[in-house]
Amino acid sequence: MSYDIAVGRCTGVSEQHALVKVEGAMLRRLRPGQAFGVQTKACLRVPLSVCSKQRTPRAGEELYLDYDSISAGAEAFLDVEGDGQFVPADIRLLVDKLDPIPRPQPSQKHRAANWPIRH
């Protein structure tokens, strides 16, 4: 079952990659064991092949990645300090120990015959 994962605000899209500003929560998943504040300057460069097919990347909007594509692994690069120094990043860590919540079952609708009669 494939679904999309939001990773942050897209700051740019090229022919091959999307650049996304990474918040502290995602940064902690990508670099476990390191301490980061809530506000960071970190950027992640991901190939378009792992981006959602239903929600295409657009600058200024939330960037969504495809769960199955991330799980398969892809070459991504992380700039932790926001200074243009990109290093390889294992984006599979974004989906590690992440299980989707199944959709709730539709509620049983009451039939008109079961409604109380008003007099």
Side-chain angles (χ1 to χ4, degrees), residues 24-87:
M26 287 294 165
L27 192 55
R28 283 187 284 281
R29 291 187 73 87
L30 290 168
R31 294 282 190 238
Q34 292 183 359
F36 300 102
V38 176
Q39 296 293 328
T40 68
K41 295 181 180 179
C43 292
L44 181 67
R45 186 172 61 207
V46 296
L48 293 179
S49 61
V50 298
C51 293
S52 170
K53 305 301 181 233
Q54 288 77 30
R55 303 171 186 156
T56 57
R58 290 186 183 99
E61 295 182 11
E62 190 72 22
L63 181 72
Y64 293 89
L65 303 180
D66 180 66
Y67 176 86
D68 290 338
S69 298
I70 294 171
S71 298
E75 187 177 75
F77 296 92
L78 179 66
D79 174 7
V80 177
E81 301 297 326
D83 58 2
Q85 301 289 331
F86 285 90
V87 295

